[in-house]
Amino acid sequence: MSLKTTIAALVAATALAAPATASAAGVGGITVKPEQRTGTAFAPAAFLDVVPKRGVPTLAGRLLIRNLERRELTVELDAVDALTASNLGYAYTVSGARARGRTGWIRLSAHRLVLAPGQKARVAVTALPATHARPGDYLAGISVEAVGQRHRPDGEARMAISRSERYVVGVQVRIPGPRSARLELSRGAVKGMPAGVTFLVTARNSGNVMLKDVHGDISVHRLGRRIATASVGPGTFVTGTSAKLQLLAATERPRAGTKYRLTARLHYKGATARYDDTVVFGERQERAQESYGRPSQSRDDGGIPLLLELALALAAIAVIAAIVLGLRRQQRTRVRLARLDALEQQLAGVSSDV
């Protein structure tokens, strides 16, 4: 009996940009238009923004959802966590994932819709913060996805790759109170990865505000020489989330015990978070790197660097070529001498006959 596996590639269409642009073409057979509540009316918005009272439900707005297909569609809605990507900028978890406490503040008037062709529906979005909610600006998302986009393998196929598209509408919940911007860099590491040796620094927004235009750099040195550097951002850092800044050093071939100096800087709201420490490429990292078919080739403890190895190899090739050329010359010389000996013998024979 063969094992049939389905791999679903999820592509998120995020509606935290201009909603008119997102809804023009439609995603997954539907369009989603966020509408912000302003007093007693509703107005189109890029995302929903609400300032609720603790323990009191507050209507943030609503989502206008329309079926673009010529068939009936089932649409599922779910509140999802907001994340910070490794290159900065916000992202969202998949539907059905366990949500953190602040995402649990979001309430929807419906989690599942069945829409006829061309039919529209409105889903109200309410924020209900806990009575002990701390002051700050927090981001969550609402995932809106048409059911049935993923496909199962047919017949004897072992694997099917399909794509499931969704909207994610951002909801910013602002709890009144003092604000504090704070960004921390900690826990540097080096790992063996399929693309090559990769350095990581953990960054965390430990304040209570969304940090915008965060930017900086990450660098790594070995034996006092910089071997790799990269710019980070600019981008947004979501409140209360962490991200791992990554730096690939594809040309590195370290062995276990190689030490690196890892530094990073992130600038935000007139302040700078810094990291500067030593990380060690250990035996576990070496085994992982070699498992990806990228064997270690250089040593930090006095081994021969890759460029020097290459130079020595070229020199050895040159020596071997010279030896081969010399042997060929000697062989040609022996042939000439043998021919001269034969000629002398022939001349000697002629002289004796005369």
Side-chain angles (χ1 to χ4, degrees):
M1 181 180 295
S2 63
L3 177 63
K4 296 181 179 180
T5 307
T6 300
I7 298 178
L10 300 178
V11 179
T14 303
L16 200 56
T21 302
S23 62
V27 170
I30 60 174
T31 59
V32 179
K33 294 183 178 180
E35 295 181 337
Q36 175 74 46
R37 183 191 180 189
T38 55
T40 59
F42 293 87
F47 62 97
L48 302 182
D49 189 2
V50 59
V51 185
K53 295 181 179 179
R54 297 174 179 85
V56 178
T58 303
L59 182 62
R62 63 191 184 188
L63 305 180
L64 178 60
I65 304 170
R66 180 184 178 186
N67 179 4
L68 299 178
E69 298 287 338
R70 295 182 179 179
R71 60 186 177 92
E72 184 180 86
L73 285 180
T74 299
V75 179
E76 292 184 344
L77 299 91
D78 192 18
V80 293
D81 286 340
L83 306 173
T84 299
S86 60
N87 59 346
L88 303 188
Y90 45 77
Y92 298 94
T93 58
V94 296
S95 303
R98 185 176 180 180
R100 295 181 295 114
R102 292 156 189 164
T103 302
W105 297 347
I106 306 301
R107 302 284 190 272
L108 303 175
S109 62
H111 287 272
R112 189 178 182 90
L113 302 171
V114 178
L115 301 178
Q119 183 180 357
K120 298 179 182 179
R122 289 182 174 87
V123 177
V125 180
T126 302
L128 178 57
T131 55
H132 58 275
R134 296 182 179 181
D137 301 332
Y138 305 103
L139 181 65
I142 303 172
S143 171
V144 186
E145 180 180 354
V147 177
Q149 298 183 63
R150 305 170 195 176
H151 304 287
R152 296 184 178 277
D154 299 324
E156 295 300 320
R158 292 177 177 269
M159 176 171 46
I161 299 177
S162 61
R163 189 177 74 173
S164 178
E165 299 176 318
R166 67 171 183 172
Y167 282 94
V168 180
V169 179
V171 182
Q172 182 172 247
V173 181
R174 295 184 289 153
I175 306 299
R179 298 296 195 264
S180 174
R182 186 178 182 185
L183 190 59
E184 298 176 336
L185 298 181
S186 63
R187 295 203 303 271
V190 55
K191 293 185 177 181
M193 304 289 282
V197 176
T198 303
F199 297 85
L200 305 99
V201 176
T202 300
R204 179 172 180 80
N205 181 353
S206 54
N208 63 356
V209 294
M210 296 273 290
L211 298 176
K212 299 179 180 180
D213 193 32
V214 179
H215 63 281
D217 56 75
I218 179 172
S219 300
V220 62
H221 294 73
R222 179 168 62 86
L223 298 177
R225 180 176 63 88
R226 188 173 68 181
I227 62 172
T229 187
S231 298
V232 180
T236 302
F237 216 119
V238 178
T239 308
T241 65
S242 298
K244 290 186 181 297
L245 311 180
Q246 298 185 17
L247 174 60
L248 172 65
T251 60
E252 280 296 289
R253 301 291 188 273
R255 290 191 180 274
T258 303
K259 296 180 179 180
Y260 295 92
R261 180 188 175 191
L262 181 59
T263 62
R265 298 178 300 176
L266 284 183
H267 309 289
Y268 66 100
K269 283 189 174 294
T272 301
R274 301 179 185 274
Y275 180 87
D276 189 341
D277 204 354
T278 299
V279 295
V280 180
F281 189 85
E283 293 181 358
R284 180 167 56 87
Q285 290 87 346
E286 184 181 48
R287 289 194 297 270
Q289 190 69 22
E290 291 179 346
S291 70
Y292 298 126
R294 302 178 67 91
S296 302
Q297 296 181 5
S298 64
R299 282 189 178 274
D300 182 50
D301 54 1
I304 301 176
L306 178 61
L307 291 178
L308 182 55
E309 287 185 357
L310 181 59
L312 291 175
L314 293 175
I317 292 174
V319 170
I320 293 173
I323 293 174
V324 171
L325 183 60
L327 291 174
R328 289 180 176 177
R329 288 176 177 174
Q330 291 180 5
Q331 185 177 7
R332 288 196 296 268
T333 301
R334 292 194 188 98
V335 171
R336 293 192 184 104
L337 291 175
R339 290 175 177 174
L340 289 174
D341 290 341
L343 181 59
E344 289 179 356
Q345 293 175 3
Q346 291 178 2
L347 291 175
V350 170
S351 299
S352 61
D353 291 340
V354 175

